[in-house]
Amino acid sequence: MLGSTHGTLTTDSRRARVIACGEQPGPAVHGRPADVDDLDVSGRPLYAGVPDLDRFFRPESVAVIGASDAEGRPNTGITRQLMAWAGRVGARLHPVHPNRTTVFGVPCFPSVADLPEQVDLAVVLVADPLPVIEQLAEAKVKFAVAFASGFAETGEEGRWRRPNSPPP
């Protein structure tokens, strides 16, 4: 699919057409229209909507879960870089940490549920990201990036901590 300020040209081999500015195309994923009846056996839709990737690459608001300003901590360097990046792209950054009131002078929130607005992008800097990902889904955060470790790269014990891993 190619886009411009004048419209969008789809490359669907079955039917190619130009969509004029302001016209809303029907829901489609990979060129196939999504019908209401296209459900799997569990009742979930077979085709998902196409996400707005502009909110990923140029978010208006970013949450940093596990943000830190304590020198010597790995999260501190990542938090510092994310703050600089958020400033360059014009995003509001919200640090999240249960034990801090501020991070680099920015007010810090104790949990995802306490964020003052819906967040476009969450960056997860905690050892066990799975509970946080569930909280982000409940808060309807659009995108998340998790920096996690302690799984398969640490050996046999860490391998079993991965989600959906068969028991040892």
Side-chain angles (χ1 to χ4, degrees), residues 2-143:
L2 303 172
S4 72
T5 57
H6 301 290
T8 303
L9 175 66
T10 63
T11 56
D12 184 348
S13 62
R14 291 175 288 165
R15 56 175 177 82
R17 68 185 193 99
V18 173
I19 300 170
C21 287
E23 181 183 344
Q24 294 297 319
V29 176
H30 304 295
R32 181 157 190 266
D35 295 328
V36 176
D37 297 332
D38 284 344
L39 304 175
D40 68 9
V41 294
S42 69
R44 294 179 297 196
L46 289 174
Y47 306 99
V50 177
D52 179 9
L53 291 177
D54 287 340
R55 294 297 99 207
F56 179 76
F57 292 108
R58 295 211 181 272
E60 292 178 6
S61 58
V62 178
V64 181
I65 294 90
S68 176
D69 58 2
E71 288 305 319
R73 307 251 328 140
N75 292 3
T76 301
I78 296 171
T79 301
R80 187 179 290 121
Q81 290 177 356
L82 288 168
M83 292 182 84
W85 173 74
R88 285 193 308 272
V89 299
R92 294 175 300 281
L93 187 127
H94 304 293
V96 177
H97 195 289
N99 302 325
R100 299 186 183 277
T101 56
T102 64
V103 171
F104 292 117
V106 177
C108 190
F109 299 90
S111 72
V112 171
D114 295 316
L115 289 169
E117 64 181 325
Q118 186 172 1
V119 174
D120 293 326
L121 174 64
V123 179
V124 182
L125 306 175
V126 298
D128 185 7
L130 297 178
V132 175
I133 298 295
E134 291 173 4
Q135 294 172 19
L136 295 173
E138 289 174 16
K140 298 189 182 343
V141 173
K142 295 175 179 113
F143 296 97

